[in-house]
């Protein structure tokens, strides 16, 4: 892991850009002498790690005493996309404009991104936990499809917060039964991109004995800010 820039922010959080092979990322760490618990914060497919809403969540969470890391996984941000992914995105735009069914296209596109992203997240986790300023345990926050796979295969994930606003492929719906860590599941009640019943069925499928559903009125990007604060309290219970 090579750090390429750093700056101390007004809230005392240290923000550092890094590269890990081909993986670009950002790490935020709090002012603390003790190693901080770590939260992996993933954005939805295709968005960059510098997306303002994600950065705001990361900074607030770091100021609350956590190391927070995000990466541009394969196909996200400025990283090159495969010809198949580009074709799937073009097919998706065309189908949505024509009002045609999109489930099969979503399945192909998001499933491919999950397969590429999860190994890179695990490689990043290995490198982050080798840093002296970061300790365990580890939490996850963000993109549900990637988070399900990561929580199912990565025993170092101790708690997870999922945003139900993205399409979740059938395979990850089956893998949700393997997710047993404490879970906070955020649902936007009027999310145009994720039918409500589909999200509720997914919540029901999780194998966690401790899981909480927070539902708020509004569309896909309307998650209230207080959910960030509630998320920190959730991680306080399970990571500190």
């Amino acid at each position: 892991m090579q750090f390429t820039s750093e700056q101390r922010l007004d809230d005392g959080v240290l923000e550092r850009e890094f590269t890990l092979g081909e993986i670009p990322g950002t790490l935020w760490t709090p002012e603390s002498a003790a190693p901080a618990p770590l939260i992996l914060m993933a954005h939805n497919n295709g968005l960059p790690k510098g997306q303002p809403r994600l950065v705001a969540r990361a900074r607030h969470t770091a100021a609350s005493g956590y190391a927070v890391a995000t990466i541009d996984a394969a196909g996200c941000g400025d990283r090159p996309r495969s010809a198949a992914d580009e074709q799937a995105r073009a097919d998706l735009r065309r189908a949505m404009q024509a009002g045609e069914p999109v489930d099969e296209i979503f399945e192909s596109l998001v499933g491919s991104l999950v397969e590429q992203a999860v190994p890179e997240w695990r490689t990043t986790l290995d490198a982050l936990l080798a840093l002296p300023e970061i300790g365990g345990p580890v939490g996850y926050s963000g993109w549900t499809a990637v988070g399900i796979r990561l929580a199912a295969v990565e025993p170092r994930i101790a708690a997870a917060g999922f945003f139900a606003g993205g399409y979740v492929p059938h395979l990850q719906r089956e893998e949700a039964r393997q997710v047993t860590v404490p879970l906070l599941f955020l649902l936007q009640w009027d999310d145009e991109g994720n039918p409500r019943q589909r999200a509720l069925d997914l919540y029901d499928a999780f194998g966690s004995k401790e899981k909480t559903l927070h539902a708020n009125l509004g569309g896909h990007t309307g998650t209230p800010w207080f959910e960030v604060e509630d998320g920190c309290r959730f991680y306080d219970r399970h990571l500190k």
Side-chain angles (χ1 to χ4, degrees):
M1 175 176 283
Q2 179 180 359
F3 289 104
T4 57
S5 70
E6 70 173 61
Q7 61 172 327
R8 182 71 66 178
L9 305 175
D10 292 342
D11 50 14
V13 169
L14 180 63
E15 179 183 86
R16 288 175 285 176
E17 300 291 325
F18 66 83
T19 57
L20 184 60
E22 297 181 353
I23 307 169
T26 308
L27 174 64
W28 296 266
T29 48
E31 286 187 306
S32 173
L38 172 64
I39 295 178
L40 306 178
M41 194 167 284
H43 47 73
N44 282 353
N45 67 87
L47 295 177
K49 61 184 176 62
Q51 204 274 341
R53 286 186 296 129
L54 181 140
V55 171
R57 286 197 293 122
R59 288 185 56 175
H60 180 87
T61 305
S64 299
Y66 294 93
V68 182
T70 189
I71 62 171
D72 276 343
C76 294
D78 294 329
R79 293 189 65 187
R81 296 170 179 166
S82 69
D85 284 349
E86 290 289 15
Q87 183 61 54
R89 291 177 187 277
D91 291 343
L92 177 62
R93 288 191 295 269
R94 185 164 51 250
M96 292 181 70
Q97 290 171 357
E100 298 172 354
V102 297
D103 277 20
E104 185 174 340
I105 303 172
F106 264 124
E107 195 82 24
S108 172
L109 175 61
V110 179
S112 173
L113 290 173
V114 169
E115 294 296 334
Q116 297 173 73
V118 169
E120 295 197 343
W121 271 110
R122 299 186 78 180
T123 296
T124 303
L125 178 57
D126 290 340
L128 290 168
L129 289 179
L131 298 174
E133 64 268 35
I134 297 178
V138 180
Y140 173 91
S141 174
W143 185 9
T144 301
V146 165
I148 290 173
R149 168 66 61 80
L150 196 58
V153 303
E154 179 50 74
R156 292 173 290 185
I157 301 294
F162 292 150
F163 287 75
Y167 185 87
V168 177
H170 177 75
L171 179 57
Q172 274 67 65
R173 291 178 173 276
E174 291 299 316
E175 290 175 333
R177 305 180 191 282
Q178 304 171 34
V179 176
T180 58
V181 298
L183 177 67
L184 176 62
F185 193 70
L186 302 184
L187 169 63
Q188 285 302 103
W189 204 246
D190 307 300
D191 189 340
E192 62 282 1
N194 193 17
R196 185 184 307 159
Q197 191 58 52
R198 179 179 286 174
L200 294 173
D201 290 344
L202 176 61
Y203 174 77
D204 192 50
F206 285 111
S208 303
K209 292 183 178 180
E210 181 178 341
K211 54 184 177 180
T212 301
L213 172 67
H214 285 188
N216 291 283
L217 296 177
H220 182 58
T221 60
T223 304
W225 179 256
F226 62 72
E227 291 291 3
V228 177
E229 299 166 342
D230 284 349
C232 286
R233 286 189 284 271
F234 166 78
Y235 293 116
D236 286 347
R237 292 195 299 273
H238 300 291
L239 302 183
K240 287 187 175 179

Coordinates of all heavy atoms in Angstrom, one line a residue, residues 3-57:
F3 N 0.8 5.4 0.1 CA 0.1 6.6 0.3 C 0.6 7.7 -0.7 O 1.8 7.9 -0.8 CB 0.1 7.1 1.7 CG -0.6 6.2 2.7 CD1 0.0 5.3 3.5 CD2 -2.0 6.3 2.7 CE1 -0.7 4.5 4.4 CE2 -2.7 5.5 3.6 CZ -2.1 4.6 4.4
T4 N -0.3 8.4 -1.4 CA 0.0 9.3 -2.4 C -0.2 10.8 -2.0 O 0.3 11.7 -2.6 CB -0.7 9.0 -3.7 OG1 -2.1 9.0 -3.5 CG2 -0.3 7.6 -4.3
S5 N -1.1 11.0 -1.0 CA -1.3 12.3 -0.5 C -2.0 12.2 0.9 O -2.5 11.2 1.2 CB -2.3 13.1 -1.5 OG -3.6 12.6 -1.4
E6 N -1.9 13.3 1.6 CA -2.6 13.4 2.9 C -2.9 14.8 3.3 O -2.2 15.7 2.9 CB -1.7 12.7 4.0 CG -0.5 13.4 4.4 CD 0.2 12.8 5.6 OE1 0.6 11.6 5.6 OE2 0.3 13.5 6.7
Q7 N -4.0 15.0 4.1 CA -4.3 16.3 4.6 C -5.1 16.1 5.9 O -5.9 15.2 6.0 CB -5.2 17.1 3.6 CG -6.5 16.4 3.2 CD -7.4 17.4 2.4 OE1 -7.3 18.6 2.5 NE2 -8.1 16.8 1.4
R8 N -4.8 17.0 6.8 CA -5.5 17.0 8.1 C -6.8 17.9 7.9 O -6.7 19.1 7.6 CB -4.6 17.5 9.2 CG -5.3 17.5 10.6 CD -5.5 16.1 11.1 NE -4.2 15.5 11.4 CZ -4.1 14.2 11.9 NH1 -5.2 13.6 12.2 NH2 -2.9 13.7 12.2
L9 N -8.0 17.4 8.2 CA -9.2 18.1 8.0 C -9.6 18.9 9.2 O -9.0 18.7 10.3 CB -10.3 17.1 7.6 CG -10.0 16.2 6.4 CD1 -11.1 15.2 6.2 CD2 -9.8 17.1 5.1
D10 N -10.6 19.8 9.1 CA -10.9 20.7 10.2 C -11.4 19.9 11.4 O -11.2 20.4 12.5 CB -12.0 21.6 9.7 CG -11.6 22.6 8.7 OD1 -10.3 22.8 8.6 OD2 -12.4 23.2 8.0
D11 N -12.0 18.7 11.2 CA -12.5 17.9 12.3 C -11.4 17.0 13.0 O -11.7 16.2 13.8 CB -13.7 17.1 11.9 CG -13.4 16.3 10.7 OD1 -12.2 16.2 10.3 OD2 -14.4 15.7 10.1
G12 N -10.2 17.2 12.6 CA -9.0 16.5 13.1 C -8.8 15.1 12.4 O -7.8 14.5 12.7
V13 N -9.7 14.8 11.5 CA -9.5 13.5 10.7 C -8.4 13.6 9.7 O -8.3 14.7 9.0 CB -10.8 13.1 10.0 CG1 -10.7 12.0 9.0 CG2 -11.9 12.8 11.1
L14 N -7.6 12.6 9.6 CA -6.5 12.6 8.6 C -7.0 11.8 7.4 O -7.4 10.7 7.5 CB -5.3 11.8 9.2 CG -4.1 11.7 8.2 CD1 -3.5 13.1 7.8 CD2 -3.0 10.9 8.8
E15 N -7.0 12.5 6.2 CA -7.5 11.9 5.0 C -6.3 11.6 4.1 O -5.5 12.5 3.8 CB -8.4 12.9 4.3 CG -8.9 12.3 2.9 CD -9.8 13.4 2.2 OE1 -9.3 14.2 1.5 OE2 -11.0 13.3 2.5
R16 N -6.1 10.3 3.7 CA -5.0 9.9 2.8 C -5.5 9.1 1.6 O -6.3 8.2 1.8 CB -4.0 9.1 3.6 CG -3.2 9.8 4.7 CD -2.4 8.9 5.5 NE -3.2 8.2 6.5 CZ -2.7 7.3 7.3 NH1 -1.4 6.9 7.2 NH2 -3.4 6.7 8.2
E17 N -5.0 9.5 0.5 CA -5.2 8.7 -0.7 C -4.1 7.7 -0.8 O -3.0 7.9 -0.4 CB -5.1 9.6 -2.0 CG -6.2 10.8 -2.0 CD -7.6 10.3 -2.2 OE1 -7.8 9.3 -2.9 OE2 -8.5 10.9 -1.6
F18 N -4.5 6.5 -1.3 CA -3.5 5.4 -1.5 C -3.8 4.6 -2.8 O -4.8 4.7 -3.4 CB -3.6 4.5 -0.3 CG -4.8 3.7 -0.1 CD1 -5.0 2.5 -0.8 CD2 -5.8 4.1 0.8 CE1 -6.2 1.8 -0.7 CE2 -7.0 3.4 0.9 CZ -7.2 2.2 0.2
T19 N -2.8 3.9 -3.1 CA -2.9 2.9 -4.2 C -2.4 1.6 -3.7 O -1.5 1.5 -2.9 CB -2.1 3.3 -5.5 OG1 -0.7 3.5 -5.1 CG2 -2.6 4.6 -6.1
L20 N -3.0 0.5 -4.1 CA -2.6 -0.8 -3.8 C -2.7 -1.6 -5.1 O -3.7 -2.1 -5.5 CB -3.6 -1.4 -2.8 CG -3.3 -2.8 -2.2 CD1 -2.0 -2.8 -1.5 CD2 -4.4 -3.2 -1.3
G21 N -1.5 -1.7 -5.7 CA -1.5 -2.2 -7.1 C -2.3 -1.3 -8.0 O -2.0 -0.1 -8.1
E22 N -3.3 -1.9 -8.6 CA -4.2 -1.1 -9.5 C -5.4 -0.4 -8.7 O -6.2 0.3 -9.3 CB -4.7 -1.9 -10.6 CG -3.7 -2.5 -11.6 CD -4.3 -3.3 -12.7 OE1 -5.5 -3.6 -12.6 OE2 -3.5 -3.7 -13.6
I23 N -5.5 -0.7 -7.5 CA -6.6 -0.3 -6.7 C -6.4 1.1 -6.1 O -5.5 1.2 -5.2 CB -7.0 -1.3 -5.6 CG1 -7.1 -2.7 -6.1 CG2 -8.2 -0.8 -4.8 CD1 -7.2 -3.8 -5.0
P24 N -7.2 2.1 -6.4 CA -7.1 3.4 -5.7 C -8.0 3.5 -4.6 O -9.2 3.0 -4.6 CB -7.4 4.4 -6.8 CG -8.4 3.7 -7.7 CD -8.1 2.2 -7.6
G25 N -7.6 4.1 -3.5 CA -8.5 4.2 -2.3 C -8.3 5.5 -1.5 O -7.3 6.2 -1.8
T26 N -9.1 5.6 -0.5 CA -9.0 6.7 0.4 C -9.2 6.2 1.8 O -10.1 5.3 2.1 CB -10.1 7.8 0.2 OG1 -10.1 8.2 -1.2 CG2 -9.8 9.0 1.1
L27 N -8.3 6.6 2.7 CA -8.4 6.2 4.1 C -8.6 7.4 5.0 O -7.8 8.4 4.9 CB -7.1 5.4 4.5 CG -7.0 5.1 6.0 CD1 -8.1 4.1 6.4 CD2 -5.6 4.5 6.2
W28 N -9.5 7.4 5.9 CA -9.7 8.4 6.9 C -9.5 7.8 8.3 O -10.0 6.8 8.6 CB -11.2 9.0 6.9 CG -11.6 9.7 5.6 CD1 -11.5 11.0 5.3 CD2 -12.1 9.1 4.4 NE1 -12.0 11.3 4.1 CE2 -12.4 10.1 3.5 CE3 -12.5 7.8 4.1 CZ2 -13.0 9.9 2.2 CZ3 -13.0 7.5 2.8 CH2 -13.3 8.6 1.9
T29 N -8.7 8.5 9.1 CA -8.4 8.0 10.4 C -8.6 9.1 11.4 O -8.3 10.3 11.2 CB -7.0 7.4 10.5 OG1 -6.0 8.4 10.0 CG2 -6.8 6.1 9.8
P30 N -9.1 8.8 12.6 CA -9.4 9.8 13.7 C -8.1 10.2 14.4 O -7.1 9.5 14.3 CB -10.4 9.1 14.6 CG -9.9 7.6 14.5 CD -9.5 7.4 13.1
E31 N -8.2 11.3 15.2 CA -7.1 11.6 16.1 C -7.2 10.7 17.3 O -8.1 10.9 18.1 CB -7.2 13.1 16.5 CG -6.9 14.1 15.4 CD -6.9 15.5 16.0 OE1 -7.9 15.9 16.6 OE2 -5.9 16.2 15.8
S32 N -6.3 9.7 17.4 CA -6.4 8.8 18.5 C -5.0 8.1 18.6 O -4.4 7.8 17.6 CB -7.5 7.7 18.2 OG -7.4 6.7 19.2
A33 N -4.6 7.9 19.8 CA -3.3 7.2 20.0 C -3.5 5.7 19.9 O -2.5 5.0 19.6 CB -2.8 7.5 21.4
A34 N -4.7 5.2 20.1 CA -5.0 3.8 20.1 C -5.4 3.3 18.7 O -6.0 4.1 18.0 CB -6.0 3.4 21.1
P35 N -5.1 2.1 18.3 CA -5.6 1.6 17.0 C -7.1 1.7 16.9 O -7.8 1.3 17.9 CB -5.1 0.2 16.9 CG -3.9 0.2 17.9 CD -4.2 1.1 19.0
A36 N -7.6 2.1 15.8 CA -9.1 2.3 15.7 C -9.7 1.1 15.0 O -9.1 0.5 14.1 CB -9.4 3.6 14.8
P37 N -11.0 0.8 15.3 CA -11.7 -0.2 14.6 C -11.9 0.3 13.2 O -11.9 1.6 12.9 CB -13.0 -0.4 15.3 CG -13.1 0.9 16.2 CD -11.7 1.3 16.5
L38 N -12.1 -0.6 12.2 CA -12.1 -0.2 10.8 C -13.5 -0.5 10.2 O -14.2 -1.5 10.5 CB -11.1 -1.1 10.1 CG -11.1 -1.1 8.5 CD1 -10.7 0.3 8.0 CD2 -10.2 -2.1 8.0
I39 N -14.0 0.5 9.4 CA -15.2 0.3 8.6 C -14.9 0.4 7.1 O -14.3 1.4 6.7 CB -16.3 1.3 9.0 CG1 -16.7 1.1 10.5 CG2 -17.5 1.2 8.1 CD1 -17.7 2.1 11.0
L40 N -15.2 -0.6 6.4 CA -15.1 -0.6 4.9 C -16.4 0.1 4.3 O -17.5 -0.4 4.6 CB -14.9 -2.0 4.3 CG -13.8 -2.8 4.9 CD1 -13.8 -4.2 4.3 CD2 -12.4 -2.1 4.8
M41 N -16.2 1.1 3.6 CA -17.4 1.9 3.1 C -17.4 1.8 1.6 O -16.6 2.4 0.9 CB -17.3 3.3 3.6 CG -18.6 4.1 3.5 SD -18.6 5.7 4.4 CE -18.8 5.1 6.1
A42 N -18.4 1.1 1.1 CA -18.5 0.8 -0.4 C -19.6 1.7 -1.0 O -20.7 1.7 -0.5 CB -18.7 -0.6 -0.7
H43 N -19.3 2.3 -2.1 CA -20.3 3.0 -2.9 C -21.0 2.1 -3.9 O -20.6 1.0 -4.1 CB -19.7 4.2 -3.6 CG -18.5 3.8 -4.4 ND1 -18.5 3.1 -5.5 CD2 -17.1 4.1 -4.1 CE1 -17.2 2.9 -6.0 NE2 -16.4 3.5 -5.1
N44 N -22.1 2.5 -4.4 CA -22.9 1.7 -5.3 C -22.1 1.6 -6.7 O -21.3 2.4 -7.0 CB -24.3 2.3 -5.6 CG -25.2 2.0 -4.4 OD1 -24.9 1.2 -3.6 ND2 -26.4 2.5 -4.5
N45 N -22.5 0.6 -7.5 CA -21.8 0.3 -8.7 C -21.6 1.5 -9.6 O -22.5 2.2 -9.9 CB -22.5 -0.8 -9.4 CG -23.8 -0.5 -10.0 OD1 -23.9 0.0 -11.1 ND2 -24.9 -0.7 -9.2
G46 N -20.3 1.7 -10.0 CA -20.0 2.7 -11.0 C -19.7 4.0 -10.5 O -19.0 4.8 -11.1
L47 N -20.1 4.3 -9.2 CA -19.8 5.7 -8.7 C -18.4 5.8 -8.2 O -17.7 4.8 -7.8 CB -20.7 5.9 -7.5 CG -22.2 6.1 -7.8 CD1 -23.0 6.3 -6.5 CD2 -22.5 7.2 -8.8
P48 N -17.8 7.0 -8.2 CA -16.4 7.1 -7.7 C -16.3 7.2 -6.2 O -17.3 7.6 -5.5 CB -16.0 8.4 -8.4 CG -17.3 9.2 -8.4 CD -18.3 8.2 -8.7
K49 N -15.1 6.9 -5.7 CA -14.9 6.9 -4.2 C -15.0 8.3 -3.7 O -15.2 8.5 -2.5 CB -13.5 6.3 -3.9 CG -12.3 7.0 -4.5 CD -11.0 6.3 -4.2 CE -9.8 7.0 -4.8 NZ -9.6 8.3 -4.4
G50 N -14.9 9.3 -4.6 CA -15.0 10.7 -4.1 C -16.4 11.3 -4.2 O -16.6 12.5 -4.1
Q51 N -17.4 10.4 -4.4 CA -18.8 10.8 -4.4 C -19.1 11.6 -3.1 O -18.8 11.1 -2.0 CB -19.7 9.6 -4.6 CG -21.0 9.9 -5.2 CD -22.0 10.3 -4.2 OE1 -21.9 10.1 -3.0 NE2 -23.1 11.0 -4.7
P52 N -19.7 12.8 -3.2 CA -19.8 13.7 -2.0 C -20.6 13.0 -0.9 O -20.2 13.2 0.3 CB -20.5 14.9 -2.6 CG -20.1 15.0 -4.0 CD -20.0 13.5 -4.5
R53 N -21.7 12.3 -1.1 CA -22.4 11.7 0.0 C -21.6 10.7 0.7 O -21.7 10.6 1.9 CB -23.7 11.1 -0.6 CG -24.8 12.2 -0.9 CD -26.1 11.5 -1.3 NE -26.0 10.7 -2.5 CZ -26.4 9.4 -2.6 NH1 -27.0 8.9 -1.6 NH2 -26.3 8.8 -3.7
L54 N -20.8 9.9 0.0 CA -20.0 8.9 0.6 C -18.9 9.5 1.4 O -18.6 9.1 2.6 CB -19.3 7.9 -0.4 CG -18.4 6.8 0.1 CD1 -18.7 5.5 -0.6 CD2 -17.0 7.2 0.0
V55 N -18.2 10.6 0.9 CA -17.2 11.3 1.6 C -17.7 11.9 2.9 O -17.1 11.8 4.0 CB -16.5 12.3 0.7 CG1 -15.6 13.2 1.5 CG2 -15.8 11.7 -0.4
A56 N -18.9 12.5 2.9 CA -19.5 13.1 4.1 C -19.8 12.0 5.1 O -19.5 12.2 6.3 CB -20.8 13.8 3.7
R57 N -20.3 10.8 4.7 CA -20.5 9.7 5.7 C -19.2 9.3 6.2 O -19.1 9.0 7.4 CB -21.2 8.6 5.0 CG -22.7 8.8 4.7 CD -23.4 7.5 4.4 NE -22.9 6.8 3.1 CZ -22.4 5.6 3.1 NH1 -22.2 4.9 4.2 NH2 -22.1 5.1 1.9

